[in-house]
Amino acid sequence: MVNNTNSISFYNNNADEFVSNTISVDMTSLYQRFLPLLPANAHILDAGCGSGRDSKHFINNGFSVTAMDASKALVESASALIDQHVHECLFQDFHSDKQFDAIWACASLLHVSSAELPDVFNRLASQLKPQGLFYCSFKYGNDDVERGGRYFTNADEARLDTFISSSSLHVVDSWLTGDLRPGRENERWINVILSK
């Protein structure tokens, strides 16, 4: 999910390569940390679903999924993969009449500017049921960078706290991992589970 015009263009122009590089990444370690915390048949919002890889896994494991992304090309790819409608919109513009048991925002909120992230966390939290859980991940750091045509907001523990401080969310768990893509293991990520 991207909200930066350059980042959206990047994904629209490089969708096939992005999907091929991410569709088969083994996400088991992250799924095992998050999914057991959810009720059976939980309804998950996949916020910034990219290729649809995670949505497909959730559906295959008995969860209901609503998926969204800002890239038209990725929305089309994800829709085909999961065989259901995927919403094309920014985080700031997404709204559902349903409340979700969980939100999954894997490597997607990092494309929202640091100035906009507190509002985005507030908006997404409003879509969660009480005690709902929210997984998100950021490249580890405390700055904003533009790289390869994409905008990234990096986060560490302290910076993440500032992003959620005005929301109804609090940190349940956080941990650091290497990138799960082969050859990029030295890139560090912060993974966070929040609760409403």
Side-chain angles (χ1 to χ4, degrees):
M1 165 68 188
V2 291
N3 85 325
N4 174 279
T5 303
N6 289 342
S7 297
I8 295 171
S9 296
F10 174 90
Y11 287 107
N12 283 333
N13 294 332
N14 298 278
D16 291 344
E17 181 182 2
F18 176 77
V19 169
S20 68
N21 288 341
T22 59
I23 194 73
S24 299
V25 174
D26 184 0
M27 303 291 287
T28 303
S29 61
L30 299 181
Y31 298 151
Q32 288 178 340
R33 196 97 175 221
F34 186 65
L35 296 179
L37 304 176
L38 305 185
N41 307 311
H43 191 171
I44 301 171
L45 171 62
D46 190 352
C49 66
S51 66
R53 171 199 64 209
D54 300 334
S55 287
K56 185 172 177 63
H57 178 83
F58 302 152
I59 291 166
N60 289 346
N61 284 273
F63 297 100
S64 297
V65 170
T66 295
M68 57 171 290
D69 203 281
S71 162
K72 181 178 178 61
L74 291 179
V75 163
E76 291 171 354
S77 177
S79 296
L81 182 70
I82 67 174
D83 195 28
Q84 72 179 49
H85 174 72
V86 173
H87 300 270
E88 181 187 344
C89 63
L90 302 175
F91 291 117
Q92 294 91 326
D93 299 330
F94 177 78
H95 177 75
S96 172
D97 293 332
K98 304 168 187 163
Q99 284 199 305
F100 299 97
D101 298 291
I103 294 174
W104 177 266
C106 183
S108 57
L109 290 171
L110 49 71
H111 291 304
V112 178
S113 73
S114 54
E116 293 175 288
L117 268 171
D119 179 62
V120 166
F121 271 112
N122 267 322
R123 287 175 180 270
L124 290 175
S126 73
Q127 301 283 312
L128 266 181
K129 293 178 180 176
Q131 285 80 56
L133 295 178
F134 188 143
Y135 167 82
C136 59
S137 57
F138 292 85
K139 289 177 183 285
Y140 194 67
N142 61 2
D143 55 355
D144 302 350
V145 298
E146 185 118 17
R147 186 173 57 250
R150 287 180 290 174
Y151 172 93
F152 294 92
T153 295
N154 298 324
D156 57 15
E157 295 86 350
R159 198 173 201 212
L160 184 86
D161 282 344
T162 68
F163 293 151
I164 66 169
S165 62
S166 63
S167 76
S168 57
L169 300 167
H170 63 275
V171 176
V172 173
D173 194 9
S174 69
W175 68 100
L176 299 181
T177 56
D179 199 299
L180 295 175
R181 291 168 290 184
R184 299 177 67 166
E185 295 84 0
N186 290 334
E187 292 183 29
R188 290 204 301 165
W189 288 77
I190 185 169
N191 303 268
V192 185
I193 297 175
L194 308 165
S195 180
K196 185 172 179 179

PDB file of all heavy atoms in Angstrom, residues 108-140:
ATOM      1  N   SER A 108       3.811  -2.157   4.469  1.00  0.00           N
ATOM      2  CA  SER A 108       2.966  -1.281   3.657  1.00  0.00           C
ATOM      3  C   SER A 108       2.855   0.126   4.245  1.00  0.00           C
ATOM      4  O   SER A 108       2.946   1.112   3.506  1.00  0.00           O
ATOM      5  CB  SER A 108       1.566  -1.885   3.503  1.00  0.00           C
ATOM      6  OG  SER A 108       0.960  -2.133   4.755  1.00  0.00           O
ATOM      7  N   LEU A 109       2.701   0.241   5.545  1.00  0.00           N
ATOM      8  CA  LEU A 109       2.601   1.570   6.156  1.00  0.00           C
ATOM      9  C   LEU A 109       3.883   2.381   5.977  1.00  0.00           C
ATOM     10  O   LEU A 109       3.864   3.602   6.086  1.00  0.00           O
ATOM     11  CB  LEU A 109       2.279   1.446   7.646  1.00  0.00           C
ATOM     12  CG  LEU A 109       0.872   0.948   7.993  1.00  0.00           C
ATOM     13  CD1 LEU A 109       0.772   0.669   9.484  1.00  0.00           C
ATOM     14  CD2 LEU A 109      -0.173   1.946   7.565  1.00  0.00           C
ATOM     15  N   LEU A 110       4.976   1.708   5.665  1.00  0.00           N
ATOM     16  CA  LEU A 110       6.246   2.404   5.498  1.00  0.00           C
ATOM     17  C   LEU A 110       6.255   3.354   4.301  1.00  0.00           C
ATOM     18  O   LEU A 110       7.150   4.176   4.152  1.00  0.00           O
ATOM     19  CB  LEU A 110       7.408   1.414   5.392  1.00  0.00           C
ATOM     20  CG  LEU A 110       7.323   0.227   4.428  1.00  0.00           C
ATOM     21  CD1 LEU A 110       7.411   0.636   2.984  1.00  0.00           C
ATOM     22  CD2 LEU A 110       8.394  -0.788   4.763  1.00  0.00           C
ATOM     23  N   HIS A 111       5.227   3.258   3.437  1.00  0.00           N
ATOM     24  CA  HIS A 111       5.132   4.193   2.321  1.00  0.00           C
ATOM     25  C   HIS A 111       4.287   5.433   2.651  1.00  0.00           C
ATOM     26  O   HIS A 111       4.096   6.290   1.803  1.00  0.00           O
ATOM     27  CB  HIS A 111       4.569   3.501   1.089  1.00  0.00           C
ATOM     28  CG  HIS A 111       5.504   2.484   0.501  1.00  0.00           C
ATOM     29  ND1 HIS A 111       6.781   2.784   0.108  1.00  0.00           N
ATOM     30  CD2 HIS A 111       5.333   1.161   0.246  1.00  0.00           C
ATOM     31  CE1 HIS A 111       7.364   1.695  -0.364  1.00  0.00           C
ATOM     32  NE2 HIS A 111       6.514   0.707  -0.287  1.00  0.00           N
ATOM     33  N   VAL A 112       3.776   5.501   3.865  1.00  0.00           N
ATOM     34  CA  VAL A 112       3.044   6.687   4.322  1.00  0.00           C
ATOM     35  C   VAL A 112       4.045   7.636   4.965  1.00  0.00           C
ATOM     36  O   VAL A 112       4.917   7.206   5.725  1.00  0.00           O
ATOM     37  CB  VAL A 112       1.947   6.293   5.345  1.00  0.00           C
ATOM     38  CG1 VAL A 112       1.227   7.526   5.861  1.00  0.00           C
ATOM     39  CG2 VAL A 112       0.970   5.309   4.725  1.00  0.00           C
ATOM     40  N   SER A 113       3.923   8.918   4.698  1.00  0.00           N
ATOM     41  CA  SER A 113       4.867   9.876   5.279  1.00  0.00           C
ATOM     42  C   SER A 113       4.750   9.870   6.801  1.00  0.00           C
ATOM     43  O   SER A 113       3.673   9.632   7.369  1.00  0.00           O
ATOM     44  CB  SER A 113       4.606  11.276   4.741  1.00  0.00           C
ATOM     45  OG  SER A 113       3.426  11.813   5.288  1.00  0.00           O
ATOM     46  N   SER A 114       5.859  10.171   7.460  1.00  0.00           N
ATOM     47  CA  SER A 114       5.857  10.168   8.923  1.00  0.00           C
ATOM     48  C   SER A 114       4.858  11.190   9.465  1.00  0.00           C
ATOM     49  O   SER A 114       4.256  10.981  10.522  1.00  0.00           O
ATOM     50  CB  SER A 114       7.265  10.446   9.459  1.00  0.00           C
ATOM     51  OG  SER A 114       7.784  11.648   8.915  1.00  0.00           O
ATOM     52  N   ALA A 115       4.662  12.285   8.744  1.00  0.00           N
ATOM     53  CA  ALA A 115       3.710  13.303   9.194  1.00  0.00           C
ATOM     54  C   ALA A 115       2.276  12.795   9.164  1.00  0.00           C
ATOM     55  O   ALA A 115       1.440  13.214   9.969  1.00  0.00           O
ATOM     56  CB  ALA A 115       3.837  14.551   8.323  1.00  0.00           C
ATOM     57  N   GLU A 116       1.981  11.879   8.233  1.00  0.00           N
ATOM     58  CA  GLU A 116       0.621  11.371   8.074  1.00  0.00           C
ATOM     59  C   GLU A 116       0.346  10.102   8.868  1.00  0.00           C
ATOM     60  O   GLU A 116      -0.812   9.722   9.055  1.00  0.00           O
ATOM     61  CB  GLU A 116       0.340  11.089   6.594  1.00  0.00           C
ATOM     62  CG  GLU A 116       0.299  12.324   5.723  1.00  0.00           C
ATOM     63  CD  GLU A 116       0.148  11.962   4.254  1.00  0.00           C
ATOM     64  OE1 GLU A 116       1.122  11.454   3.667  1.00  0.00           O
ATOM     65  OE2 GLU A 116      -0.943  12.181   3.714  1.00  0.00           O
ATOM     66  N   LEU A 117       1.385   9.442   9.336  1.00  0.00           N
ATOM     67  CA  LEU A 117       1.186   8.146   9.987  1.00  0.00           C
ATOM     68  C   LEU A 117       0.309   8.198  11.237  1.00  0.00           C
ATOM     69  O   LEU A 117      -0.530   7.310  11.433  1.00  0.00           O
ATOM     70  CB  LEU A 117       2.526   7.485  10.306  1.00  0.00           C
ATOM     71  CG  LEU A 117       3.042   6.542   9.217  1.00  0.00           C
ATOM     72  CD1 LEU A 117       4.474   6.108   9.512  1.00  0.00           C
ATOM     73  CD2 LEU A 117       2.142   5.318   9.071  1.00  0.00           C
ATOM     74  N   PRO A 118       0.438   9.195  12.119  1.00  0.00           N
ATOM     75  CA  PRO A 118      -0.466   9.207  13.285  1.00  0.00           C
ATOM     76  C   PRO A 118      -1.938   9.196  12.883  1.00  0.00           C
ATOM     77  O   PRO A 118      -2.746   8.457  13.471  1.00  0.00           O
ATOM     78  CB  PRO A 118      -0.075  10.491  14.010  1.00  0.00           C
ATOM     79  CG  PRO A 118       1.370  10.686  13.673  1.00  0.00           C
ATOM     80  CD  PRO A 118       1.473  10.248  12.236  1.00  0.00           C
ATOM     81  N   ASP A 119      -2.297   9.976  11.875  1.00  0.00           N
ATOM     82  CA  ASP A 119      -3.686   9.993  11.410  1.00  0.00           C
ATOM     83  C   ASP A 119      -4.074   8.656  10.793  1.00  0.00           C
ATOM     84  O   ASP A 119      -5.188   8.164  11.011  1.00  0.00           O
ATOM     85  CB  ASP A 119      -3.894  11.117  10.401  1.00  0.00           C
ATOM     86  CG  ASP A 119      -5.323  11.154   9.867  1.00  0.00           C
ATOM     87  OD1 ASP A 119      -6.249  11.363  10.682  1.00  0.00           O
ATOM     88  OD2 ASP A 119      -5.512  10.957   8.654  1.00  0.00           O
ATOM     89  N   VAL A 120      -3.164   8.061  10.038  1.00  0.00           N
ATOM     90  CA  VAL A 120      -3.459   6.766   9.412  1.00  0.00           C
ATOM     91  C   VAL A 120      -3.663   5.693  10.481  1.00  0.00           C
ATOM     92  O   VAL A 120      -4.590   4.875  10.390  1.00  0.00           O
ATOM     93  CB  VAL A 120      -2.342   6.369   8.424  1.00  0.00           C
ATOM     94  CG1 VAL A 120      -2.447   4.901   8.037  1.00  0.00           C
ATOM     95  CG2 VAL A 120      -2.422   7.254   7.177  1.00  0.00           C
ATOM     96  N   PHE A 121      -2.822   5.675  11.509  1.00  0.00           N
ATOM     97  CA  PHE A 121      -3.023   4.704  12.594  1.00  0.00           C
ATOM     98  C   PHE A 121      -4.377   4.930  13.259  1.00  0.00           C
ATOM     99  O   PHE A 121      -5.083   3.968  13.593  1.00  0.00           O
ATOM    100  CB  PHE A 121      -1.889   4.793  13.617  1.00  0.00           C
ATOM    101  CG  PHE A 121      -0.710   3.917  13.306  1.00  0.00           C
ATOM    102  CD1 PHE A 121       0.515   4.467  12.941  1.00  0.00           C
ATOM    103  CD2 PHE A 121      -0.810   2.539  13.375  1.00  0.00           C
ATOM    104  CE1 PHE A 121       1.605   3.659  12.658  1.00  0.00           C
ATOM    105  CE2 PHE A 121       0.278   1.713  13.101  1.00  0.00           C
ATOM    106  CZ  PHE A 121       1.493   2.285  12.738  1.00  0.00           C
ATOM    107  N   ASN A 122      -4.751   6.187  13.480  1.00  0.00           N
ATOM    108  CA  ASN A 122      -6.058   6.485  14.065  1.00  0.00           C
ATOM    109  C   ASN A 122      -7.188   5.959  13.192  1.00  0.00           C
ATOM    110  O   ASN A 122      -8.149   5.351  13.683  1.00  0.00           O
ATOM    111  CB  ASN A 122      -6.224   7.995  14.255  1.00  0.00           C
ATOM    112  CG  ASN A 122      -5.797   8.460  15.631  1.00  0.00           C
ATOM    113  OD1 ASN A 122      -6.034   7.783  16.624  1.00  0.00           O
ATOM    114  ND2 ASN A 122      -5.168   9.617  15.685  1.00  0.00           N
ATOM    115  N   ARG A 123      -7.092   6.228  11.895  1.00  0.00           N
ATOM    116  CA  ARG A 123      -8.147   5.802  10.967  1.00  0.00           C
ATOM    117  C   ARG A 123      -8.268   4.282  10.925  1.00  0.00           C
ATOM    118  O   ARG A 123      -9.374   3.738  10.943  1.00  0.00           O
ATOM    119  CB  ARG A 123      -7.865   6.345   9.566  1.00  0.00           C
ATOM    120  CG  ARG A 123      -8.104   7.837   9.431  1.00  0.00           C
ATOM    121  CD  ARG A 123      -7.681   8.339   8.048  1.00  0.00           C
ATOM    122  NE  ARG A 123      -7.898   9.762   7.915  1.00  0.00           N
ATOM    123  CZ  ARG A 123      -9.029  10.298   7.468  1.00  0.00           C
ATOM    124  NH1 ARG A 123     -10.048   9.522   7.131  1.00  0.00           N
ATOM    125  NH2 ARG A 123      -9.155  11.598   7.375  1.00  0.00           N
ATOM    126  N   LEU A 124      -7.136   3.600  10.855  1.00  0.00           N
ATOM    127  CA  LEU A 124      -7.187   2.141  10.807  1.00  0.00           C
ATOM    128  C   LEU A 124      -7.688   1.574  12.139  1.00  0.00           C
ATOM    129  O   LEU A 124      -8.473   0.621  12.152  1.00  0.00           O
ATOM    130  CB  LEU A 124      -5.816   1.569  10.449  1.00  0.00           C
ATOM    131  CG  LEU A 124      -5.369   1.823   9.009  1.00  0.00           C
ATOM    132  CD1 LEU A 124      -3.943   1.326   8.792  1.00  0.00           C
ATOM    133  CD2 LEU A 124      -6.316   1.168   8.006  1.00  0.00           C
ATOM    134  N   ALA A 125      -7.254   2.154  13.241  1.00  0.00           N
ATOM    135  CA  ALA A 125      -7.709   1.674  14.550  1.00  0.00           C
ATOM    136  C   ALA A 125      -9.219   1.783  14.680  1.00  0.00           C
ATOM    137  O   ALA A 125      -9.867   0.944  15.318  1.00  0.00           O
ATOM    138  CB  ALA A 125      -7.020   2.448  15.672  1.00  0.00           C
ATOM    139  N   SER A 126      -9.806   2.801  14.051  1.00  0.00           N
ATOM    140  CA  SER A 126     -11.261   2.966  14.119  1.00  0.00           C
ATOM    141  C   SER A 126     -11.996   1.834  13.401  1.00  0.00           C
ATOM    142  O   SER A 126     -13.185   1.618  13.632  1.00  0.00           O
ATOM    143  CB  SER A 126     -11.679   4.312  13.514  1.00  0.00           C
ATOM    144  OG  SER A 126     -11.561   4.300  12.096  1.00  0.00           O
ATOM    145  N   GLN A 127     -11.280   1.091  12.547  1.00  0.00           N
ATOM    146  CA  GLN A 127     -11.874  -0.034  11.819  1.00  0.00           C
ATOM    147  C   GLN A 127     -11.746  -1.351  12.590  1.00  0.00           C
ATOM    148  O   GLN A 127     -12.261  -2.382  12.158  1.00  0.00           O
ATOM    149  CB  GLN A 127     -11.198  -0.197  10.455  1.00  0.00           C
ATOM    150  CG  GLN A 127     -11.302   1.018   9.551  1.00  0.00           C
ATOM    151  CD  GLN A 127     -12.674   1.150   8.909  1.00  0.00           C
ATOM    152  OE1 GLN A 127     -13.207   0.193   8.363  1.00  0.00           O
ATOM    153  NE2 GLN A 127     -13.257   2.324   8.996  1.00  0.00           N
ATOM    154  N   LEU A 128     -11.046  -1.303  13.723  1.00  0.00           N
ATOM    155  CA  LEU A 128     -10.818  -2.512  14.524  1.00  0.00           C
ATOM    156  C   LEU A 128     -11.876  -2.671  15.606  1.00  0.00           C
ATOM    157  O   LEU A 128     -12.290  -1.691  16.232  1.00  0.00           O
ATOM    158  CB  LEU A 128      -9.463  -2.438  15.228  1.00  0.00           C
ATOM    159  CG  LEU A 128      -8.222  -3.056  14.600  1.00  0.00           C
ATOM    160  CD1 LEU A 128      -7.045  -2.850  15.545  1.00  0.00           C
ATOM    161  CD2 LEU A 128      -8.393  -4.520  14.266  1.00  0.00           C
ATOM    162  N   LYS A 129     -12.257  -3.917  15.866  1.00  0.00           N
ATOM    163  CA  LYS A 129     -13.101  -4.205  17.023  1.00  0.00           C
ATOM    164  C   LYS A 129     -12.312  -3.942  18.306  1.00  0.00           C
ATOM    165  O   LYS A 129     -11.071  -3.972  18.290  1.00  0.00           O
ATOM    166  CB  LYS A 129     -13.537  -5.681  17.002  1.00  0.00           C
ATOM    167  CG  LYS A 129     -14.465  -6.051  15.866  1.00  0.00           C
ATOM    168  CD  LYS A 129     -14.792  -7.536  15.914  1.00  0.00           C
ATOM    169  CE  LYS A 129     -15.718  -7.939  14.774  1.00  0.00           C
ATOM    170  NZ  LYS A 129     -15.970  -9.409  14.758  1.00  0.00           N
ATOM    171  N   PRO A 130     -12.992  -3.717  19.439  1.00  0.00           N
ATOM    172  CA  PRO A 130     -12.283  -3.627  20.715  1.00  0.00           C
ATOM    173  C   PRO A 130     -11.447  -4.890  20.941  1.00  0.00           C
ATOM    174  O   PRO A 130     -11.891  -5.995  20.622  1.00  0.00           O
ATOM    175  CB  PRO A 130     -13.419  -3.527  21.742  1.00  0.00           C
ATOM    176  CG  PRO A 130     -14.555  -2.927  20.972  1.00  0.00           C
ATOM    177  CD  PRO A 130     -14.445  -3.494  19.584  1.00  0.00           C
ATOM    178  N   GLN A 131     -10.239  -4.719  21.424  1.00  0.00           N
ATOM    179  CA  GLN A 131      -9.260  -5.790  21.605  1.00  0.00           C
ATOM    180  C   GLN A 131      -8.759  -6.378  20.278  1.00  0.00           C
ATOM    181  O   GLN A 131      -8.062  -7.396  20.259  1.00  0.00           O
ATOM    182  CB  GLN A 131      -9.778  -6.948  22.488  1.00  0.00           C
ATOM    183  CG  GLN A 131      -9.821  -6.631  23.984  1.00  0.00           C
ATOM    184  CD  GLN A 131     -11.043  -5.805  24.354  1.00  0.00           C
ATOM    185  OE1 GLN A 131     -12.169  -6.194  24.082  1.00  0.00           O
ATOM    186  NE2 GLN A 131     -10.814  -4.664  24.981  1.00  0.00           N
ATOM    187  N   GLY A 132      -9.119  -5.746  19.169  1.00  0.00           N
ATOM    188  CA  GLY A 132      -8.617  -6.207  17.876  1.00  0.00           C
ATOM    189  C   GLY A 132      -7.108  -6.062  17.802  1.00  0.00           C
ATOM    190  O   GLY A 132      -6.508  -5.223  18.483  1.00  0.00           O
ATOM    191  N   LEU A 133      -6.485  -6.889  16.964  1.00  0.00           N
ATOM    192  CA  LEU A 133      -5.027  -6.898  16.850  1.00  0.00           C
ATOM    193  C   LEU A 133      -4.585  -6.343  15.503  1.00  0.00           C
ATOM    194  O   LEU A 133      -5.291  -6.450  14.498  1.00  0.00           O
ATOM    195  CB  LEU A 133      -4.491  -8.319  17.035  1.00  0.00           C
ATOM    196  CG  LEU A 133      -4.712  -8.922  18.421  1.00  0.00           C
ATOM    197  CD1 LEU A 133      -4.193 -10.349  18.466  1.00  0.00           C
ATOM    198  CD2 LEU A 133      -4.036  -8.078  19.497  1.00  0.00           C
ATOM    199  N   PHE A 134      -3.394  -5.773  15.482  1.00  0.00           N
ATOM    200  CA  PHE A 134      -2.904  -5.015  14.335  1.00  0.00           C
ATOM    201  C   PHE A 134      -1.420  -5.337  14.186  1.00  0.00           C
ATOM    202  O   PHE A 134      -0.607  -4.978  15.040  1.00  0.00           O
ATOM    203  CB  PHE A 134      -3.114  -3.524  14.646  1.00  0.00           C
ATOM    204  CG  PHE A 134      -2.847  -2.544  13.540  1.00  0.00           C
ATOM    205  CD1 PHE A 134      -3.653  -1.422  13.420  1.00  0.00           C
ATOM    206  CD2 PHE A 134      -1.792  -2.681  12.663  1.00  0.00           C
ATOM    207  CE1 PHE A 134      -3.424  -0.468  12.431  1.00  0.00           C
ATOM    208  CE2 PHE A 134      -1.551  -1.746  11.675  1.00  0.00           C
ATOM    209  CZ  PHE A 134      -2.365  -0.631  11.559  1.00  0.00           C
ATOM    210  N   TYR A 135      -1.064  -6.024  13.099  1.00  0.00           N
ATOM    211  CA  TYR A 135       0.348  -6.296  12.808  1.00  0.00           C
ATOM    212  C   TYR A 135       0.850  -5.296  11.776  1.00  0.00           C
ATOM    213  O   TYR A 135       0.183  -5.038  10.772  1.00  0.00           O
ATOM    214  CB  TYR A 135       0.550  -7.713  12.251  1.00  0.00           C
ATOM    215  CG  TYR A 135       1.932  -7.908  11.658  1.00  0.00           C
ATOM    216  CD1 TYR A 135       3.013  -8.199  12.474  1.00  0.00           C
ATOM    217  CD2 TYR A 135       2.158  -7.737  10.295  1.00  0.00           C
ATOM    218  CE1 TYR A 135       4.296  -8.324  11.945  1.00  0.00           C
ATOM    219  CE2 TYR A 135       3.431  -7.866   9.755  1.00  0.00           C
ATOM    220  CZ  TYR A 135       4.496  -8.153  10.585  1.00  0.00           C
ATOM    221  OH  TYR A 135       5.763  -8.268  10.056  1.00  0.00           O
ATOM    222  N   CYS A 136       2.036  -4.737  12.018  1.00  0.00           N
ATOM    223  CA  CYS A 136       2.671  -3.886  11.013  1.00  0.00           C
ATOM    224  C   CYS A 136       4.179  -4.073  11.080  1.00  0.00           C
ATOM    225  O   CYS A 136       4.722  -4.561  12.077  1.00  0.00           O
ATOM    226  CB  CYS A 136       2.292  -2.415  11.196  1.00  0.00           C
ATOM    227  SG  CYS A 136       2.712  -1.695  12.793  1.00  0.00           S
ATOM    228  N   SER A 137       4.843  -3.698   9.989  1.00  0.00           N
ATOM    229  CA  SER A 137       6.301  -3.821   9.947  1.00  0.00           C
ATOM    230  C   SER A 137       6.896  -2.654   9.180  1.00  0.00           C
ATOM    231  O   SER A 137       6.293  -2.136   8.235  1.00  0.00           O
ATOM    232  CB  SER A 137       6.718  -5.149   9.312  1.00  0.00           C
ATOM    233  OG  SER A 137       6.178  -5.288   8.005  1.00  0.00           O
ATOM    234  N   PHE A 138       8.079  -2.250   9.623  1.00  0.00           N
ATOM    235  CA  PHE A 138       8.817  -1.141   9.020  1.00  0.00           C
ATOM    236  C   PHE A 138      10.285  -1.529   8.902  1.00  0.00           C
ATOM    237  O   PHE A 138      10.808  -2.281   9.735  1.00  0.00           O
ATOM    238  CB  PHE A 138       8.748   0.109   9.907  1.00  0.00           C
ATOM    239  CG  PHE A 138       7.396   0.742  10.008  1.00  0.00           C
ATOM    240  CD1 PHE A 138       6.467   0.281  10.934  1.00  0.00           C
ATOM    241  CD2 PHE A 138       7.041   1.815   9.192  1.00  0.00           C
ATOM    242  CE1 PHE A 138       5.212   0.870  11.048  1.00  0.00           C
ATOM    243  CE2 PHE A 138       5.790   2.420   9.306  1.00  0.00           C
ATOM    244  CZ  PHE A 138       4.879   1.940  10.223  1.00  0.00           C
ATOM    245  N   LYS A 139      10.962  -0.987   7.903  1.00  0.00           N
ATOM    246  CA  LYS A 139      12.418  -1.079   7.912  1.00  0.00           C
ATOM    247  C   LYS A 139      12.912  -0.350   9.166  1.00  0.00           C
ATOM    248  O   LYS A 139      12.369   0.684   9.549  1.00  0.00           O
ATOM    249  CB  LYS A 139      13.007  -0.448   6.648  1.00  0.00           C
ATOM    250  CG  LYS A 139      12.738  -1.275   5.387  1.00  0.00           C
ATOM    251  CD  LYS A 139      13.281  -0.568   4.158  1.00  0.00           C
ATOM    252  CE  LYS A 139      12.969  -1.336   2.882  1.00  0.00           C
ATOM    253  NZ  LYS A 139      13.799  -2.515   2.690  1.00  0.00           N
ATOM    254  N   TYR A 140      13.932  -0.923   9.807  1.00  0.00           N
ATOM    255  CA  TYR A 140      14.350  -0.430  11.113  1.00  0.00           C
ATOM    256  C   TYR A 140      15.212   0.831  10.976  1.00  0.00           C
ATOM    257  O   TYR A 140      16.229   0.835  10.285  1.00  0.00           O
ATOM    258  CB  TYR A 140      15.128  -1.517  11.860  1.00  0.00           C
ATOM    259  CG  TYR A 140      15.312  -1.246  13.325  1.00  0.00           C
ATOM    260  CD1 TYR A 140      14.216  -1.241  14.182  1.00  0.00           C
ATOM    261  CD2 TYR A 140      16.569  -0.986  13.866  1.00  0.00           C
ATOM    262  CE1 TYR A 140      14.370  -0.994  15.542  1.00  0.00           C
ATOM    263  CE2 TYR A 140      16.741  -0.749  15.219  1.00  0.00           C
ATOM    264  CZ  TYR A 140      15.625  -0.750  16.048  1.00  0.00           C
ATOM    265  OH  TYR A 140      15.779  -0.511  17.401  1.00  0.00           O
TER     266      TYR A 140
END
